[in-house]
Amino acid sequence: MFEASPGGNSSHSSFLFGGFPALQNHQRLLLLVLLIGCYVTLLLGNCALLLVIGSVASLHSPMYLLIASLCAVDILVGTTIFPTTLLSLLFNWDRISLTGCLTQMFFTHFLSSLESTLLLAMALDRYVAICLPLHYNKIMNASVFAKLLLFTLFRSGSVMGTLVGLAGSLWFCDSNTIRHCYCDHMALVSLACGDTERNRAAGLAVIICFVGVDTPVIFFSYVKILSVVLRASASGEDRWKAFHTCGTHLMIMTCFYLVGSVSFLSPSMNIPPDAHTFMGLMYILLPATVNPIIYGVRTKEIRNGFLKIFKVRGKKLKSMKVKVSPAGKGKT
């Protein structure tokens, strides 16, 4: 479908997802991997982590609230792209309107940028906790947490709103097939006719604004933490706890930024379209899937929270069975 411009040119008002053209005969298997292997694991893992952090009072501290926020963002960003991918692979419903495409693009990039800012906040939280422990409660209070949340929403919303607005101003008069399975910014911009220098510059500015700013701050925060821990006259157990906590956060950050960097660089590499599409999917789904697994396995307080919830619910189920048992066979 086309829309006519005042100058007589025409622009596509809907687009088709290219998906995985080389895997047309294996779409059901691909769907199985994406559905069961990633998305269901993503939902179950992050929802379980949210349940534990919300139910256990001892986990209502800034660090765990940031982890809970990361879980919520992971669920939302996976849900943003999964319906279109599912419908495309299962029913070949691969058409999307320009408005729908821009909406999906905004929320995908907005939520991904939120994740980057949350990882930065986690690094700063650990920096204050380890390097300035006597001032931690004063610095990391509810007011600071609210201001950080507002800053995160404003930065991501304004930057991504500008990016999507520039993309929406383009005219698309050639192919309307997006070489992806969701509306990625550069995948859509590459279909535009006319000058796209502003859009490419805006895309580069977004990378600099988030990856170029957040990554160095995170890196120097953990370098400082490592320096303080090594110089401190703490016991071996305390040092191990600090290393273990920071190591868990670094594993999450490495996964996010490494997969993201490969995804951003893949268009400039000489790789098949299917591989580029797969990397774009993994950039969204892989960190969101492994985050709750890493936190659940490596964080002792969260593991204890899981056990506490299961014990309480197990006792409740046991008492319910005793109450409903026939007279003479159980206590009432």
Side-chain angles (χ1 to χ4, degrees):
M1 294 178 67
F2 289 90
E3 287 182 351
S5 70
N9 295 322
S10 58
S11 178
H12 293 288
S13 60
S14 64
F15 296 87
L16 300 173
F17 291 118
F20 298 89
L23 300 175
Q24 289 294 325
N25 297 327
H26 305 283
Q27 288 198 12
R28 297 295 185 274
L29 177 61
L30 186 62
L31 172 65
L32 185 67
V33 172
L34 287 173
L35 180 62
I36 298 179
C38 284
Y39 188 66
V40 172
T41 305
L42 180 158
L43 286 179
L44 292 177
N46 285 288
C47 287
L49 216 56
L50 283 172
L51 174 65
V52 171
I53 294 173
S55 302
V56 180
S58 61
L59 298 181
H60 294 174
S61 63
M63 184 181 81
Y64 296 106
L65 292 177
L66 288 170
I67 293 175
S69 300
L70 186 66
C71 290
V73 169
D74 284 339
I75 292 171
L76 291 173
V77 73
T79 304
T80 299
I81 69 167
F82 187 74
T84 54
T85 305
L86 173 66
L87 294 175
S88 177
L89 293 176
L90 192 59
F91 303 111
N92 291 322
W93 294 353
D94 49 10
R95 185 176 293 276
I96 190 171
S97 67
L98 177 59
T99 302
C101 184
L102 293 173
T103 302
Q104 186 187 56
M105 182 194 301
F106 172 78
F107 282 107
T108 301
H109 294 306
F110 171 74
L111 291 167
S112 296
S113 65
L114 279 185
E115 185 158 358
S116 178
T117 309
L118 286 172
L119 293 175
L120 172 62
M122 288 180 182
L124 295 177
D125 174 78
R126 290 301 84 201
Y127 170 80
V128 176
I130 295 174
C131 300
L132 303 169
L134 298 179
H135 303 282
Y136 180 79
N137 291 330
K138 181 179 179 181
I139 296 174
M140 298 301 294
N141 54 38
S143 175
V144 171
F145 199 83
K147 290 176 182 177
L148 179 62
L149 177 61
L150 289 175
F151 166 75
T152 299
L153 295 174
F154 175 77
R155 183 175 78 148
S156 296
S158 58
V159 172
M160 295 308 167
T162 303
L163 188 75
V164 173
L166 288 173
S169 67
L170 295 172
W171 286 91
F172 306 94
C173 51
D174 193 4
S175 172
N176 71 331
T177 300
I178 299 173
R179 292 188 175 184
H180 222 304
C181 55
Y182 64 89
C183 284
D184 177 70
H185 173 254
M186 289 310 301
L188 180 64
V189 169
S190 65
L191 302 179
C193 45
D195 185 19
T196 59
E197 285 302 316
R198 287 191 309 167
N199 303 85
R200 296 181 185 277
L204 180 60
V206 168
I207 296 174
I208 293 173
C209 179
F210 290 96
V211 180
V213 173
D214 293 358
T215 307
V217 175
I218 291 171
F219 175 76
F220 286 117
S221 296
Y222 281 107
V223 168
K224 183 65 175 177
I225 289 171
L226 181 62
S227 173
V228 169
V229 170
L230 291 176
R231 290 202 311 263
S233 58
S235 65
E237 184 179 350
D238 290 338
R239 285 189 179 185
W240 167 247
K241 185 177 180 180
F243 280 127
H244 187 78
T245 301
C246 294
T248 301
H249 291 310
L250 284 172
M251 289 174 65
I252 298 293
M253 294 168 192
T254 301
C255 178
F256 177 76
Y257 287 113
L258 181 61
V259 177
S261 298
V262 173
S263 176
F264 283 130
L265 293 173
S266 62
S268 61
M269 302 176 183
N270 186 21
I271 60 174
D274 287 36
H276 171 55
T277 302
F278 179 76
M279 289 178 184
L281 272 179
M282 289 300 99
Y283 167 59
I284 299 296
L285 295 177
L286 183 61
T289 303
V290 302
N291 286 355
I293 298 174
I294 293 174
Y295 279 123
V297 170
R298 289 181 56 86
T299 307
K300 181 180 179 182
E301 291 79 5
I302 292 178
R303 291 201 309 270
N304 291 340
F306 271 113
L307 294 175
K308 184 177 180 180
I309 289 176
F310 288 138
K311 284 181 180 178
V312 170
R313 297 198 172 186
K315 288 180 180 178
K316 286 183 178 179
L317 288 174
K318 187 176 180 180
S319 63
M320 288 174 63
K321 287 181 180 179
V322 171
K323 287 182 179 179
V324 301
S325 61
K329 294 185 178 180
K331 298 178 182 179
T332 57

